[in-house]
Amino acid sequence: MPATPQPRPTILSIEPYVGGESKLPGVNRIVKLSSNEGAFGPPPGARAAMAEAAAEMHRYPDGSATALREAIGKRFGLDPARIICGNGSDELIGQLVLSYGGEGTELVMSAHGFIMYDLAGRYAGCRVIKVPERDLQPDVDAMIAAVGPRTRLVFLANPNNPTGAMLPASEVERLRAGLPADVLLVLDAAYAEYVTRDDYDAGAKLVDAGTNTVMTRTFSKIFGMGGARLGWAYAPAPVADVLNRVRGPFNVNAPAMAAGIAALAEPAWVERSVAHNTEWRGRLSETLRGLGIKVHPSEGNFILADFGTPARAKAADAAMRQRGLIARAVAGYGLPHCLRITIGTAEECGMVGDALAAGFARADG
Ligand SMILES: *Cc1c(COP(=O)(O)O)cnc(C)c1O
């Protein structure tokens, strides 16, 4: 055997990311509820802006994303100089880990935290420490206790995917206060817009309060623009400086930026999406509970349904698939008895309830 190039050893411990499924053989109408993409698709203005931008596709984009950063800053009341845009927030998560982590360092996350932190941590060569939870809630004291002298990064998705769990602002502040000053806390607020509890803060306050907390956000969920790949981070000046050094010079494409600016100009569209999500997240949760299925409280645009056993979860998945409904299996998160189901349109939520009612009636009879 001739010698072949070998990657760093930790690279081969990474399982390739598997996105939510989108096809079922033999089923005509597919309802994709596997990637939390937003019930209504992209806002009309964003579609139009992207189409218009197509004519200028031969031009390189503005590498500093000035207009988009200003639009984000205005909408959320943040300093545009400390906003960094990315090709999805996943890109920024990866760059934070590569910049602050690496071989010989540790990254701390909650046991059922978003899987990207694990993947990015391995890519960078970090030891990834997953801290046990209590009833799928991040345990702040245990996370603080897990931090050692090699820990460089702590990740918290708030609300978390796939559990839907949310920590109140006071708990996130307690986490920050319990971490050493030189540990970077990354607050991933991909689902911030969907939160209805009033004890929530997405993280900007903590970013502004020091030099060691970053907040990441995305256009992929509430704005329905996952395919455009657009995310951003709000960071203290030294962290913003690091991200601006390491990101690709043209990491965000021009059509996506145009669409993002247009989407921010349609707040009513977002309000409608939030109202819809709140209503149907509640209704679908109640329907499932009525069928004897445990549903974890969720502050996102999805619910985590707990069927008790992997076999029952498989049966539920099969009943939904028969009707074209694709949920997300979360065995990779150590939750083989659960399915994550995105809140779709009213009709789609009704289809989920019907499929599970039929599936369980059959299983019981
Ligand atoms: C979907 C998701 C993201 C990724 O968002 P992109 O901006 O599309 O890369 C980040 N964090 C969490 C918790 C998510 O669920």
Side-chain angles (χ1 to χ4, degrees):
M1 283 283 281
T4 57
Q6 293 295 322
R8 286 181 286 113
T10 55
I11 299 299
L12 296 179
S13 77
I14 301 171
E15 293 293 335
Y17 182 84
V18 181
E21 289 174 79
S22 58
K23 290 194 176 69
L24 288 177
V27 179
N28 287 331
R29 180 179 171 197
I30 297 292
V31 178
K32 185 169 182 282
L33 302 173
S34 55
S35 297
N36 303 341
E37 290 155 331
F40 302 131
R47 292 182 205 198
M50 185 169 260
E52 199 176 319
E56 291 290 313
M57 230 193 302
H58 56 305
R59 305 286 180 208
Y60 273 89
D62 169 15
S64 51
T66 306
L68 176 60
R69 287 187 299 103
E70 278 169 5
I72 294 169
K74 204 166 161 201
R75 168 75 178 269
F76 296 97
L78 305 173
D79 175 8
R82 293 188 285 120
I83 292 168
I84 309 91
C85 296
N87 192 257
S89 51
D90 280 353
E91 182 195 22
L92 300 169
I93 290 167
Q95 286 168 349
L96 286 167
V97 178
L98 282 166
S99 299
Y100 289 90
E103 299 287 346
T105 73
E106 290 169 355
L107 179 160
V108 170
M109 62 184 282
S110 199
H112 299 100
F114 185 47
I115 199 121
M116 266 303 298
Y117 317 145
D118 186 4
L119 302 181
R122 288 167 190 260
Y123 181 21
C126 308
R127 185 173 155 236
V128 177
I129 298 176
K130 294 190 179 179
V131 179
E133 300 177 347
R134 298 168 181 226
D135 197 24
L136 299 190
Q137 295 289 318
D139 182 336
V140 167
D141 294 302
M143 288 180 81
I144 292 170
V147 168
R150 292 169 182 267
T151 306
R152 308 268 38 97
L153 294 132
V154 174
F155 273 86
L156 180 74
N158 200 35
N160 183 51
N161 168 16
T163 58
M166 186 211 100
L167 288 185
S170 57
E171 280 292 280
V172 181
E173 280 165 28
R174 205 163 67 75
L175 173 62
R176 176 66 269 179
L179 300 175
D182 63 350
V183 167
L184 188 68
L185 173 63
V186 183
L187 299 173
D188 178 347
Y191 299 95
E193 288 86 354
Y194 292 109
V195 175
T196 49
R197 275 170 53 180
D198 54 16
D199 55 352
Y200 177 71
D201 185 75
K205 262 195 263 172
L206 279 173
V207 174
D208 285 337
T211 56
N212 47 21
T213 304
V214 177
M215 169 180 73
T216 60
R217 303 285 287 262
T218 183
F219 283 83
S220 299
K221 308 288 157 59
I222 187 79
F223 293 107
M225 289 172 48
R229 311 307 302 128
L230 191 59
W232 53 280
Y234 182 57
V239 180
D241 176 59
V242 165
L243 286 173
N244 280 322
R245 288 169 195 263
V246 301
R247 67 177 175 81
F250 303 108
N251 60 328
V252 181
N253 69 78
M257 284 196 275
I261 292 167
L264 290 169
E266 289 184 79
W269 193 92
V270 170
E271 273 171 41
R272 171 175 157 254
S273 302
V274 173
H276 169 85
N277 190 68
T278 306
E279 178 185 354
W280 284 96
R281 184 176 61 199
R283 288 174 75 157
L284 186 60
S285 300
E286 281 318 302
T287 301
L288 268 57
R289 286 179 187 131
L291 294 168
I293 300 160
K294 179 173 177 182
V295 179
H296 288 273
S298 170
E299 290 293 322
N301 67 335
F302 56 90
I303 54 173
L304 186 71
D306 180 345
F307 297 89
T309 68
R312 277 173 61 92
K314 273 216 169 72
D317 202 24
M320 285 199 286
R321 279 165 184 264
Q322 217 170 39
R323 296 169 182 231
L325 301 161
I326 307 182
R328 179 61 166 256
V330 282
Y333 280 92
L335 301 167
H337 50 296
C338 297
L339 294 174
R340 191 194 69 197
I341 306 169
T342 302
I343 303 303
T345 63
E347 186 200 9
E348 291 163 356
C349 290
M351 289 169 72
V352 171
D354 290 349
L356 292 177
F360 280 97
R362 231 192 342 272
D364 295 342

